[in-house]
Amino acid sequence: MKPFLGEEEALAVAEAVRSGWVAQGPRVAAFEEAFAARVGAEHGVAVSSCTTALHLCLHLLGVGPGDEVVAPSLSFIATANAIRYCGATPVFADVDPVTGNLTGSTVAEVVTPRTKAVLVVHQGGVPADVHAIRIAAGGVPVVEDAACAAGSTVYGRPVGAGALLAAWSFHPRKLLTTGEGGMVTTDDADWAARLRRLREHGMSMSAADRHAAGGAVVESYVEIAFNYRMTDIQAAMGLVQLRKLDGIVEQRRELAARYHEMLAPMGLRAVTDPAHGTTNYQSFWVALPEGAPPLADVLSRLAGSGVSARRGIMAAHLEPAYAGHPHGPLPATEDLARRSLILPLHHELTSADQRRVVGALAQAIELVAS
Ligand SMILES: *Cc1c(COP(=O)(O)O)cnc(C)c1O
């Protein structure tokens, strides 16, 4: 991944600095409005990262000690950690081996009377089947970890449209970046108001509003909360980035189509659109075939040929931080974590680069006689 940044972002950031208002202010408000509109939600609440966005969503729903939250283990570790921040227990559900996402049936298998929320991930940009998962959750709130999914669609609408609560990331590994940053989107005005308070120390009135009011306005602190604010410097960059989203998605889908063409003759399975939506190809993963050398060897052979590939989506339950954490069988999760790798995909990649990547991969997994 390479962030798609240019002179426009640099100028917008400089302008925010020159304005003298560098903390959360008018640019954050404008970015929230523009981003929420783009993903089909009524409200956006900008925060410092997707990790803090996930924490706020679960805190808002009252998730706490003794509660269970269903989530995939196959995700960046922040998904599971956000549940732990609330003192609750992540209950790992398995994923579909083709999409890498939770399904209605894997969720239904692990829902119990203690399930307080389901945290579904649109992994690597591939939309999860939110309709089926909402039905399986049976009235338990479904929060969407949409960190990777800006510009993906599900059932003909943008991921985020119709979501109870969706959490987004603007880390440089994602399609849009503000350096670090995140957002919660929702259609619920009361929730949006509470989220704004939760991100800003539980203050009755935001610092920006107090400033705009003039005179002596004294705020009160109505609940114990957090400092998870985004800055206007970041939002200035986000506003420029957002205008590029459609173009970025279009180009990534073209590059992915070219990878698919090149990989097809090798019989390798790669990530693709599910039946219920389209992916933004945030991560282009390939599953190694049976009998291929171990993933670590393939990655180091690729590095030796100058190709910077990465292991595929991680599985939290296989990491030391979750050693001993109880879970049921997770065969598809473990298979994908051990056998998938992510190929380079960014806006400067040429078709010659892609041929070189695929050639190096073929050699690394010994599909061609060396
Ligand atoms: C990147 C990512 C996160 C964390 O996002 P940050 O903005 O870096 O906190 C959470 N969940 C998933 C699925 C991610 O890919």
Side-chain angles (χ1 to χ4, degrees):
M1 191 60 168
K2 272 190 193 176
F4 197 141
L5 293 172
E7 201 50 35
E8 264 190 301
E9 282 85 350
L11 288 171
V13 166
E15 199 185 301
V17 172
R18 289 191 196 107
S19 79
W21 193 279
V22 289
Q24 178 185 285
R27 288 172 180 82
V28 167
F31 182 44
E32 290 174 337
E33 197 177 318
F35 186 82
R38 174 60 183 81
V39 303
E42 293 288 326
H43 309 280
V45 179
V47 289
S48 53
S49 69
C50 182
T51 305
T52 55
L54 290 168
H55 184 195
L56 287 193
C57 289
L58 298 176
H59 185 82
L60 175 84
L61 293 172
V63 172
D67 293 332
E68 295 179 352
V69 177
V70 172
S73 168
L74 192 81
S75 183
F76 183 59
I77 198 150
T79 308
N81 285 351
I83 300 165
R84 296 296 301 270
Y85 297 162
C86 296
T89 305
V91 173
F92 294 132
D94 207 6
V95 295
D96 178 84
V98 176
T99 65
N101 281 327
L102 297 184
T103 67
S105 61
T106 65
V107 168
E109 272 169 32
V110 296
V111 168
T112 75
R114 286 156 69 135
T115 307
K116 186 86 173 180
V118 173
L119 183 45
V120 59
V121 181
H122 301 287
Q123 196 50 260
V126 178
D129 187 347
V130 283
H131 288 187
I133 290 165
R134 279 180 205 134
I135 291 166
V140 169
V142 175
V143 177
E144 301 182 32
D145 180 341
C148 303
S152 297
T153 67
V154 62
Y155 290 108
R157 296 201 293 170
V159 165
L164 201 60
L165 290 160
W168 308 83
S169 174
F170 308 118
H171 182 272
R173 265 212 76 238
K174 322 295 181 180
L175 263 62
L176 303 180
T177 187
T178 57
E180 292 276 1
M183 182 93 70
V184 179
T185 55
T186 180
D187 289 342
D188 189 307
D190 293 338
W191 279 0
R194 172 115 192 270
L195 288 164
R196 289 182 205 289
R197 204 166 71 201
L198 284 171
R199 76 173 164 191
E200 195 169 11
H201 305 291
M203 275 156 59
S204 57
M205 190 179 194
S206 79
D209 288 347
R210 207 152 24 95
H211 181 80
V217 184
V218 179
E219 79 286 6
S220 63
Y221 296 84
V222 298
E223 62 180 319
I224 294 181
F226 309 92
N227 177 1
Y228 284 170
R229 286 174 294 208
M230 177 184 275
T231 68
D232 258 30
I233 304 173
Q234 293 166 298
M237 190 162 152
L239 279 164
V240 177
Q241 285 269 287
L242 188 59
R243 295 202 290 269
K244 297 182 176 175
L245 179 61
D246 291 344
I248 292 174
V249 172
E250 190 180 37
Q251 194 199 11
R252 294 187 77 81
R253 289 183 58 84
E254 279 164 17
L255 290 166
R258 213 187 279 150
Y259 265 144
H260 276 295
E261 261 169 49
M262 292 175 181
L263 291 166
M266 293 163 60
L268 290 185
R269 191 165 69 75
V271 62
T272 186
D273 286 335
H276 53 265
T278 59
T279 173
N280 60 9
Y281 283 107
Q282 144 91 62
S283 295
F284 190 92
W285 58 258
V286 177
L288 296 179
E290 290 296 342
L295 183 61
D297 295 352
V298 173
L299 290 175
S300 65
R301 285 184 197 186
L302 284 171
S305 327
V307 173
S308 169
R310 291 287 181 270
R311 70 166 167 170
I313 315 298
M314 61 173 295
H317 78 282
L318 299 177
E319 294 297 321
Y322 284 85
H325 184 83
H327 60 83
L330 300 167
T333 296
E334 290 177 2
D335 191 59
L336 278 172
R338 293 195 171 118
R339 285 210 301 150
S340 60
L341 59 86
I342 295 174
L343 298 183
L345 182 55
H346 57 79
H347 60 285
E348 288 168 359
L349 207 66
T350 64
S351 66
D353 291 333
Q354 288 187 286
R355 261 195 303 280
R356 203 161 63 77
V357 168
V358 173
L361 178 63
Q363 236 162 28
I365 61 179
E366 296 161 344
L367 277 183
V368 293
S370 41

